[in-house]
Amino acid sequence: MIIDNKTIDKLAKLSSLTIDEDKKESLAKELGQIVEFVENLNEIDVSSVEATFTTIQGGQPLREDNPYKDEEQTDAIMANAPKSEDGYFIVPAIIE
């Protein structure tokens, strides 16, 4: 995958970041190296390798799913949102 200025601009828009023009070239180079490294990892055949550990000891603990709504907690969270309406976050559209 080639990381160019168009890709950098799209990533900046999706992440709501402002990237200086003079830093775009170095950022594209760094992201390209990261993508290249990940692509190399995809080439490794690990189908015969058994997992050596798990983060879940003894399986997945289950609990009852009991939904509830705490208006005070909702109001506190929404007070920190840049935009909200009727208890929902308003975010920029990313699908055209």
Side-chain angles (χ1 to χ4, degrees):
M1 177 180 193
I2 297 174
I3 307 293
D4 55 6
N5 278 344
K6 184 178 177 182
T7 306
I8 297 293
D9 291 339
K10 185 174 182 178
L11 290 172
K13 181 180 177 186
L14 290 174
S15 61
S16 299
L17 294 175
T18 303
I19 301 172
D20 295 332
E21 289 295 324
D22 58 331
K23 294 186 179 184
K24 284 185 180 181
E25 187 175 328
S26 64
L27 180 61
K29 183 178 178 183
E30 290 176 21
L31 287 175
Q33 291 171 344
I34 292 169
V35 170
E36 185 179 325
F37 177 75
V38 172
E39 287 175 348
N40 287 338
L41 292 176
N42 288 333
E43 294 176 9
I44 300 172
D45 180 23
V46 293
S47 60
S48 61
V49 178
E50 205 170 314
T52 56
F53 71 93
T54 179
T55 57
I56 302 172
Q57 294 290 346
Q60 174 90 16
L62 300 177
R63 63 172 175 78
E64 281 191 42
D65 189 12
N66 297 319
Y68 71 95
K69 186 171 184 177
D70 182 352
E71 291 292 333
E72 187 175 312
Q73 186 178 27
T74 302
D75 292 341
I77 293 170
M78 290 297 141
N80 293 305
K83 292 182 183 178
S84 65
E85 185 178 304
D86 297 328
Y88 294 97
F89 295 107
I90 306 295
V91 297
I94 58 171
I95 300 174
E96 298 174 6

